[in-house]
Amino acid sequence: MKDLSRRQRAILQFIESFLDQNDYPPTIRDIQRDLDISSTSVVDYNLKVLENRNHIRRNRNISRGIELVGRVNHRNVIAIPVIGQIAAGLPIPVPGDLEQADSAETVEVGADFAPNAGRDLFALRVKGHSMIDALINDGDVVVLRQQVTCENGETVAVWLRDEKETTLKRFYLEGERVRLQPANMTMEPIFTPANNVEIQGRLVTVLRSVV
Amino acid sequence: MKDLSRRQRAILQFIESFLDQNDYPPTIRDIQRDLDISSTSVVDYNLKVLENRNHIRRNRNISRGIELVGRVNHRNVIAIPVIGQIAAGLPIPVPGDLEQADSAETVEVGADFAPNAGRDLFALRVKGHSMIDALINDGDVVVLRQQVTCENGETVAVWLRDEKETTLKRFYLEGERVRLQPANMTMEPIFTPANNVEIQGRLVTVLRSVV
DNA sequence: TATACGGAGGAACATTTGTTCGTGTCAAGC
DNA sequence: GCTTGACACGAACAAATGTTCCTCCGTATA
């Protein structure tokens, strides 16, 4: 892995920084110019080495056909629109016209953290400490999948009609009533009639940026 | 925003899906071919419209010089290597040679969630429920910044020498002793002599994928 | 009806960009 | 000294790709 010449390392590094600054890969001549290499063939030669060493992938006969192996590429990342806040006393904002929300803030998440991502994901910023029992803190961002039903055991955001309250709990339908179980195992569940529970979405991901 | 012709919308959509499948933007002729447009000038014309409408940005005279406005681009996302596990009874793995860890698993995080990102970030997968008091669950991924000192009030991963234990708490140096305060405000702090505390890193981000 | 204008078509043209070939240098190993 | 292999040069060539002109069509509007 380390058997690269100084020039090859420089090329690799240039490609990385180029990709950081542009949304397209560099051309051979971009590389040549930046590194003051006398000929494109030299660049080509070294790119071939890098390709064999599996540091890059090349699409022949395609301009800018250089891809970095093992790099963050958009494919692994999805952007989820943050459409509002979630708090104990407030109903959850309706995901409504997610598509048009061009200007909306987004959070980016690795695909691992948003399995089966589709257009039905949306994110909310948590206000207040009411969801401590779900191990969710003030300021966290929760990603939800929009759905109005759920399987037993799934963690969902529900609106409790009587209490006029939003909460995040594991959902278990037990006959006529529903058991809402906090993620924190040391805490007690809530029992409530099934028709008091309105499912707003299923919890997919929690993101916390510690200050 | 919606005043685009059918064709213009199709082009925009094609660029998006092309970018999903390749690491480089499409050429005008790629677009022409896919959408069965008779001439490159038509594509060019419509790209100009899209550019004026601020849906794309173009780098003239540069092949594949099309950038989508407001798209997930690598610049906003960083990959952080997951170098091991963190558990109450275990010391934290040493970040050691992060650079060489090419093959390591990574998590991708939006730049918002990893401020001042540098090479000094690493991630650990949480094992066990010992960090419930820090609102961190089994299976969560925590991102840490490698550092051996910290400011008062920062949340840090510390190794308690006597207890031979790792824990995540807010750190407060109070004279000769240290107060370690759980993130969950309802829980009690730990007090311990300053020289019993070994700071391993500062907590930056918590990621949770809910099953 | 005449005009203006958004859109589309075709084709030639100018650059940009990838590819290849012949040659040269230099250090390591025989 | 000779050979070999990694690395570098330059230049010419061939595609790939962006640009521009001129023309045409249909619809809305004066």
Side-chain angles (χ1 to χ4, degrees):
Chain A
M1 277 289 179
K2 269 298 187 184
D3 49 353
L4 295 178
S5 70
R6 175 192 322 283
R7 187 162 269 181
Q8 281 148 16
R9 250 192 304 277
I11 290 177
L12 204 51
Q13 199 175 313
F14 172 70
I15 297 174
E16 283 192 46
S17 70
F18 189 97
L19 241 20
D20 277 338
Q21 297 182 272
N22 304 281
D23 271 330
Y24 43 82
T27 64
I28 287 185
R29 283 180 176 80
D30 285 333
I31 299 172
Q32 181 197 8
R33 205 170 313 125
D34 186 90
L35 299 180
D36 266 319
I37 297 175
S38 58
S39 167
T40 58
S41 67
V42 177
V43 179
D44 183 62
Y45 167 81
N46 286 292
L47 286 179
K48 276 177 186 151
V49 175
L50 288 173
E51 190 180 17
N52 289 331
R53 298 272 205 289
N54 202 251
H55 284 99
I56 61 174
R57 208 174 310 113
R58 292 181 77 184
N59 300 271
R60 293 324 180 93
N61 296 322
I62 283 190
S63 78
R64 303 176 185 279
I66 301 175
E67 304 182 32
L68 273 179
V69 172
R71 185 144 213 284
V72 187
N73 57 352
H74 357 235
R75 288 173 242 177
N76 300 334
V77 179
I78 59 171
I80 300 170
V82 181
I83 63 170
Q85 303 183 344
I86 180 173
L90 294 173
I92 292 181
V94 189
D97 33 23
L98 296 183
E99 320 292 329
Q100 276 76 278
D102 287 330
S103 54
E105 185 196 358
T106 62
V107 288
E108 292 77 28
V109 176
D112 312 333
F113 283 88
N116 309 82
R119 286 258 172 263
D120 52 354
L121 292 181
F122 62 100
L124 301 171
R125 196 169 298 277
V126 177
K127 280 291 162 192
H129 299 270
S130 65
M131 296 171 190
I132 289 283
D133 61 345
L135 298 178
I136 292 173
N137 209 351
D138 182 51
D140 288 5
V141 172
V142 294
V143 177
L144 301 175
R145 182 182 310 276
Q146 187 174 21
Q147 58 188 53
V148 294
T149 61
C150 75
E151 306 284 313
N152 268 359
E154 291 184 345
T155 302
V156 290
V158 300
W159 174 249
L160 300 177
R161 288 202 177 90
D162 292 347
E163 294 84 347
K164 295 203 190 321
E165 212 177 280
T166 298
T167 186
L168 271 167
K169 300 265 192 314
R170 272 188 195 276
F171 177 98
Y172 295 93
L173 182 59
E174 300 180 332
E176 289 294 291
R177 70 174 191 181
V178 169
R179 172 162 55 94
L180 296 173
Q181 185 84 41
N184 187 338
M185 301 174 309
T186 65
M187 305 188 79
E188 295 304 314
I190 294 175
F191 295 95
T192 189
N195 61 15
N196 185 40
V197 175
E198 209 170 283
I199 297 175
Q200 306 287 320
R202 176 181 160 201
L203 183 62
V204 175
T205 308
V206 180
L207 305 170
R208 178 180 311 144
S209 181
V210 181
V211 192
Chain B
M1 275 292 179
K2 269 297 183 182
D3 49 352
L4 296 177
S5 71
R6 176 194 320 286
R7 188 162 267 180
Q8 282 149 15
R9 251 192 303 277
I11 290 178
L12 205 50
Q13 200 174 312
F14 171 70
I15 297 174
E16 283 192 44
S17 71
F18 189 98
L19 242 18
D20 277 337
Q21 296 181 274
N22 304 281
D23 271 330
Y24 43 83
T27 64
I28 287 185
R29 281 180 178 79
D30 285 333
I31 299 171
Q32 182 197 8
R33 205 173 309 124
D34 185 272
L35 299 181
D36 266 319
I37 297 176
S38 57
S39 168
T40 56
S41 67
V42 176
V43 179
D44 183 62
Y45 169 81
N46 286 292
L47 286 178
K48 277 177 185 151
V49 175
L50 289 173
E51 190 181 16
N52 289 330
R53 298 272 204 287
N54 203 250
H55 285 100
I56 62 172
R57 206 174 310 114
R58 292 183 76 185
N59 300 271
R60 295 324 180 91
N61 296 320
I62 283 191
S63 78
R64 302 176 187 280
I66 302 175
E67 305 181 32
L68 274 180
V69 172
R71 182 147 215 282
V72 188
N73 56 354
H74 356 235
R75 288 174 241 175
N76 301 333
V77 178
I78 60 171
I80 300 170
V82 181
I83 63 170
Q85 302 183 344
I86 179 172
L90 294 173
I92 291 181
V94 189
D97 33 23
L98 297 183
E99 319 294 329
Q100 275 74 278
D102 286 330
S103 55
E105 185 196 0
T106 61
V107 288
E108 291 78 29
V109 177
D112 311 333
F113 284 88
N116 308 81
R119 286 261 172 261
D120 52 353
L121 292 181
F122 62 100
L124 301 170
R125 197 169 296 278
V126 176
K127 280 292 164 194
H129 299 269
S130 66
M131 295 171 192
I132 289 281
D133 60 345
L135 298 178
I136 292 172
N137 209 352
D138 183 51
D140 288 4
V141 172
V142 294
V143 177
L144 301 175
R145 181 183 310 277
Q146 188 175 19
Q147 58 189 54
V148 294
T149 61
C150 75
E151 305 285 313
N152 267 359
E154 291 184 345
T155 302
V156 290
V158 300
W159 174 249
L160 300 177
R161 289 203 176 90
D162 291 347
E163 294 84 347
K164 295 204 190 318
E165 210 175 282
T166 297
T167 186
L168 272 168
K169 299 265 193 312
R170 272 185 193 277
F171 177 99
Y172 295 92
L173 182 59
E174 301 180 332
E176 289 295 291
R177 71 176 191 182
V178 168
R179 172 162 57 94
L180 297 173
Q181 184 85 40
N184 187 338
M185 301 173 310
T186 66
M187 305 189 77
E188 293 305 311
I190 294 175
F191 296 94
T192 188
N195 62 15
N196 186 39
V197 176
E198 209 170 283
I199 297 174
Q200 304 287 319
R202 177 181 159 201
L203 182 62
V204 175
T205 309
V206 180
L207 304 170
R208 179 180 310 146
S209 181
V210 181
V211 194

